[in-house]
Amino acid sequence: MIERTGYVPNLLAKGLSENRTNIVAAIVPTISHSIFADVLSGLSDALEVRNHRLLISNSGYCLEREETLLGELLAQRPAGIVLIGQDHTQQTVDMLRRAGVPVVELLEIDKQPVDMCVGFSNYQAVYQLTRGLIARGYRNIGFIAAPFEANDRVRRRHAGYADAMAEAKLRTEPGWHRVAGFSYKEGARAFGELIREHDEVEVVVTNDLLAVAGILECQRHGVRVPDDLAICGFEDMEITAMLHPPLTTVRIRRYEIGRLAGQLILDRLAGAETAQDTIDVGFELIWRQSTR
Amino acid sequence: MIERTGYVPNLLAKGLSENRTNIVAAIVPTISHSIFADVLSGLSDALEVRNHRLLISNSGYCLEREETLLGELLAQRPAGIVLIGQDHTQQTVDMLRRAGVPVVELLEIDKQPVDMCVGFSNYQAVYQLTRGLIARGYRNIGFIAAPFEANDRVRRRHAGYADAMAEAKLRTEPGWHRVAGFSYKEGARAFGELIREHDEVEVVVTNDLLAVAGILECQRHGVRVPDDLAICGFEDMEITAMLHPPLTTVRIRRYEIGRLAGQLILDRLAGAETAQDTIDVGFELIWRQSTR
DNA sequence: TTGTAAGCGTTATCAC
DNA sequence: GTGATAACGCTTACAA
């Protein structure tokens, strides 16, 4: 009958009347990185179950942009808010507090969340990874990272690396640290420079995308992995297992993080008391043949 | 003042009153594939300019799901609708027609669009690619594709391949055709089977992700690319240029397609008459060393 | 049980 | 101009 008459309910009116929508707003640095795309997939699938929709904006790795976007998104009266990381402007935090809806911060859990958070400790992940490398006999350990600004996850990872190195009293040359944008080209450049200028480096800690570029760049230059240079990624992209050699990396459950975030929001909306404000989904060190 | 009092306008009320929102609804097969993530990035960026937001749902490559989702999304009174491909259920098409808002179909342009479309001819792309392969002396040309159901883009690509083969009077064995889900693992499996069972195949036409898996699988088995088996991708993912050998592929401007779609919608909302209902952004054959 | 009216926050209309 | 008022479509509370 409804489909015959072509009647379409108006959720704007419903939302206005009920003072509650079925829209969850998510702000991510970019939609185009597999890590965020996967998180959003999980989030979308979880929300779907209770007929909630996902409104997505990208901040382009800019906290001021995140703040502006949040202000505009709040006008949509979202039923919940999802952000990446735990680093936000004070204004952002204030708005989140006043919003009066569930807020979930994803992919980092080292700070007390504004409301709730789902993720893992980037610090612990790379701290453990670095300790594992040291235990395997590596001494000269380099670090190639995405830009630090507006990216607390990378900053925490670097802190984990630095602390593990300091504890083991290992030196770290400034030249062993590189910043590379999130692209294969940038990765190839950074690895190329490192290989040329610092062949004393035995292993590089970085993220999966840059690590893949690194392995390919090593192949190009005849640098043997892991004998001449070992490489560790971070994320566990599917391709890493198929490379030659397969990549040592840190597995993080991206889809699951998104899914849990959606569930937390739905539970809260259903009136459930939140058992815990922080969900640590952990990480897993995957030792493969790109390290000895 | 506004930021001091904490006033947040209510876009639900505004939308109800004006009978018009700033929300554009997009239904994609999945958010987790680079092709759709990139399209959504471009779309989001374009909409941003006029303060429009993106409501994203994934159909999971199911046209009935797309239909259901569309029905629910229309209740949000979107200012515009974006879909992938030109293959929809009759119900979907009816709803789109009655929606009374701009509709853009993306990534395929061979049919008359419901309203507007932005993309390229998948048929022409693979037709030209296959003719190029034939011109390079290849005769036994295999095809590894994603599942055909609910994916008119892949069906059109296959038609382009089949027509080029038929025109050249080249045989195509059923065993030369494989279906592989969109994952490296599936790609490795499909290529592995093809290498084992049909070593008469000289070149494989597929998509980038499967092609990457194929090149890696060939490396694993000591199959030389392109001498023993040549491989062509489709999409031009960044990594394809860095592989050994670099991958021959079809470049499609994913971000640009999304951006143009956003612009079309905004222009239409601003009252502009649409100059053309179909925008062909074209494609580009990128001949690299994975083919001779 | 069925029906009617008030209210949600904004825009638009129409007096003044 | 400025300011009151109806209207948008739905929910809910209350009256019949």
Side-chain angles (χ1 to χ4, degrees), chain A residues 11 119 133 148 164-165 185 214 239:
Chain A
L11 292 185
L133 290 172
F148 279 30
M165 293 297 278
K185 204 168 169 182
I239 193 176

Side-chain angles (χ1 to χ4, degrees), chain B residues 235-250:
Chain B
E235 173 175 336
D236 192 36
M237 292 178 358
E238 194 198 357
I239 194 178
T240 58
M242 318 195 54
L243 292 172
H244 309 300
L247 184 70
T248 289
T249 189
V250 180

Side-chain angles (χ1 to χ4, degrees), chain A residues 10 79 81 91 100-102 170-171 183 259:
Chain A
N10 187 324
I81 298 167
Q91 265 279 18
V101 298
L170 293 176
R171 72 177 180 131
S183 79
R259 203 185 58 76

Side-chain angles (χ1 to χ4, degrees), chain A residues 8-9 11 22 32 41 44 48 53-54 56 58 65 72 75-77 184-185 216 219 238 242 244, chain B residues 8-9 11 22 32 41 44 48 53-54 56 58 65 72 75-77 184-185 216 219 238 244:
Chain A
V8 181
L11 292 185
N22 67 342
S32 288
S41 264
S44 174
E48 204 65 46
R53 310 272 160 241
L54 195 50
I56 299 180
N58 57 305
R65 180 111 199 79
E72 285 161 3
Q76 311 276 2
R77 296 294 187 272
Y184 289 104
K185 204 168 169 182
L216 295 172
Q219 286 176 10
E238 194 199 355
M242 317 195 54
H244 310 300
Chain B
V8 181
L11 293 185
N22 67 342
S32 289
S41 263
S44 174
E48 204 66 46
R53 310 271 159 244
L54 196 49
I56 299 180
N58 58 305
R65 180 111 198 79
E72 286 161 3
Q76 311 275 2
R77 295 296 186 271
Y184 290 104
K185 204 168 169 183
L216 295 173
Q219 286 175 11
E238 194 198 357
H244 309 300

Side-chain angles (χ1 to χ4, degrees), chain A residues 117-131:
Chain A
C117 68
V118 181
F120 57 92
S121 168
N122 285 275
Y123 175 92
Q124 274 299 323
V126 174
Y127 175 78
Q128 301 286 358
L129 175 66
T130 307
R131 291 198 21 130

Side-chain angles (χ1 to χ4, degrees), chain B:
Chain B
M1 158 186 76
I2 278 177
E3 53 273 16
R4 289 192 58 96
T5 60
Y7 166 78
V8 181
N10 188 324
L11 293 185
L12 297 171
K14 180 178 161 75
L16 183 60
S17 169
E18 289 183 314
N19 194 31
R20 172 189 197 303
T21 66
N22 67 342
I23 289 178
V24 170
I27 305 177
V28 295
T30 165
I31 310 174
S32 289
H33 293 181
S34 53
I35 191 161
F36 303 120
D38 291 346
V39 163
L40 291 174
S41 263
L43 184 57
S44 174
D45 288 353
L47 294 176
E48 204 66 46
V49 173
R50 296 253 175 285
N51 251 286
H52 283 241
R53 310 271 159 244
L54 196 49
L55 195 66
I56 299 180
S57 298
N58 58 305
S59 67
Y61 288 99
C62 169
L63 297 183
E64 285 69 35
R65 180 111 198 79
E66 176 181 79
E67 175 185 316
T68 307
L69 280 170
L70 177 61
E72 286 161 3
L73 289 173
L74 287 175
Q76 311 275 2
R77 295 296 186 271
I81 297 167
V82 173
L83 300 173
I84 300 298
Q86 303 194 289
D87 187 21
H88 315 289
T89 68
Q90 186 56 45
Q91 266 277 18
T92 299
V93 173
D94 292 346
M95 283 192 283
L96 291 172
R97 292 241 166 76
R98 277 183 308 210
V101 296
V103 175
V104 193
E105 297 164 273
L106 301 185
L107 293 170
E108 176 57 72
I109 59 164
D110 278 356
K111 277 175 60 180
Q112 180 64 25
V114 171
D115 181 4
M116 299 177 283
C117 68
V118 181
F120 57 92
S121 168
N122 285 275
Y123 175 93
Q124 274 298 322
V126 174
Y127 176 80
Q128 302 286 357
L129 175 67
T130 308
R131 290 196 25 127
L133 290 172
I134 295 168
R136 279 163 173 76
Y138 290 106
R139 290 297 171 264
N140 296 350
I141 306 179
F143 194 91
I144 299 182
F148 279 30
E149 312 92 59
N151 194 332
D152 56 334
R153 288 84 64 206
V154 170
R155 284 201 304 274
R156 296 299 293 153
R157 285 181 215 164
H158 186 263
Y161 156 81
D163 283 1
M165 293 297 276
E167 278 179 28
K169 299 200 167 46
L170 293 176
R171 71 177 179 131
T172 66
E173 297 282 324
W176 299 358
H177 297 179
R178 308 254 151 199
V179 171
F182 202 77
S183 78
Y184 290 104
K185 204 168 169 183
E186 282 273 294
R189 179 190 55 70
F191 270 90
E193 289 172 10
L194 198 69
I195 291 166
R196 250 195 325 279
E197 302 166 18
H198 293 279
D199 74 342
E200 73 274 19
V201 170
E202 300 165 324
V203 57
V204 174
V205 173
T206 184
N207 64 48
D208 269 10
L209 190 135
L210 299 177
V212 169
I215 284 185
L216 295 173
E217 190 67 9
C218 283
Q219 286 175 11
R220 181 188 323 279
H221 291 86
V223 174
R224 293 167 306 161
V225 179
D227 301 333
D228 300 333
L229 180 67
I231 300 179
C232 302
F234 193 102
E235 173 175 336
D236 192 36
M237 292 178 358
E238 194 198 357
I239 194 178
T240 58
M242 318 195 54
L243 292 172
H244 309 300
L247 184 70
T248 289
T249 189
V250 180
R251 176 171 296 163
I252 57 175
R253 298 161 68 205
R254 309 178 289 283
Y255 180 90
E256 184 67 3
I257 288 172
R259 203 186 58 76
L260 284 170
Q263 213 139 69
L264 277 185
I265 290 176
L266 292 177
D267 288 352
R268 182 74 79 72
L269 291 175
E273 276 299 305
T274 312
Q276 43 184 354
D277 55 18
T278 295
I279 297 188
D280 184 354
V281 301
F283 55 84
E284 190 184 348
L285 302 185
I286 311 285
W287 295 97
R288 297 202 188 100
Q289 285 73 57
S290 70
T291 52
R292 67 166 170 257

Side-chain angles (χ1 to χ4, degrees), chain A residues 59-283:
Chain A
S59 67
Y61 288 100
C62 169
L63 297 183
E64 286 69 34
R65 180 111 199 79
E66 177 181 78
E67 175 185 316
T68 308
L69 280 170
L70 177 61
E72 285 161 3
L73 289 174
L74 287 175
Q76 311 276 2
R77 296 294 187 272
I81 298 167
V82 173
L83 300 174
I84 300 297
Q86 302 195 290
D87 187 21
H88 315 290
T89 68
Q90 185 56 47
Q91 265 279 18
T92 298
V93 173
D94 291 346
M95 283 192 284
L96 290 172
R97 292 241 167 76
R98 277 182 309 209
V101 298
V103 174
V104 193
E105 297 164 274
L106 302 185
L107 293 171
E108 177 57 73
I109 59 164
D110 278 356
K111 278 174 61 180
Q112 180 64 25
V114 171
D115 181 6
M116 300 177 280
C117 68
V118 181
F120 57 92
S121 168
N122 285 275
Y123 175 92
Q124 274 299 323
V126 174
Y127 175 78
Q128 301 286 358
L129 175 66
T130 307
R131 291 198 21 130
L133 290 172
I134 294 167
R136 279 165 174 75
Y138 290 106
R139 291 298 171 265
N140 296 350
I141 306 178
F143 194 91
I144 300 182
F148 279 30
E149 312 93 58
N151 194 331
D152 57 334
R153 287 85 63 207
V154 170
R155 284 203 303 274
R156 296 300 293 154
R157 285 181 216 165
H158 186 265
Y161 156 81
D163 283 2
M165 293 297 278
E167 279 179 26
K169 300 200 166 47
L170 293 176
R171 72 177 180 131
T172 66
E173 297 282 323
W176 300 358
H177 297 178
R178 309 254 150 199
V179 171
F182 202 77
S183 79
Y184 289 104
K185 204 168 169 182
E186 282 273 294
R189 178 190 56 69
F191 269 90
E193 288 172 11
L194 198 69
I195 290 166
R196 250 197 325 279
E197 301 166 19
H198 293 278
D199 73 343
E200 73 274 19
V201 170
E202 300 165 323
V203 57
V204 174
V205 173
T206 184
N207 64 47
D208 268 11
L209 190 135
L210 299 177
V212 169
I215 285 186
L216 295 172
E217 190 67 8
C218 284
Q219 286 176 10
R220 181 190 321 283
H221 289 88
V223 175
R224 292 168 306 160
V225 179
D227 301 333
D228 299 334
L229 181 67
I231 300 180
C232 302
F234 193 103
E235 173 177 335
D236 191 37
M237 292 180 357
E238 194 199 355
I239 193 176
T240 58
M242 317 195 54
L243 292 173
H244 310 300
L247 183 69
T248 289
T249 190
V250 180
R251 175 171 296 163
I252 56 175
R253 297 161 70 204
R254 310 179 289 283
Y255 180 89
E256 184 68 3
I257 288 171
R259 203 185 58 76
L260 285 170
Q263 212 139 70
L264 276 186
I265 290 176
L266 293 178
D267 288 351
R268 182 75 79 74
L269 291 175
E273 277 300 306
T274 312
Q276 44 184 355
D277 55 18
T278 296
I279 296 187
D280 183 354
V281 301
F283 55 84

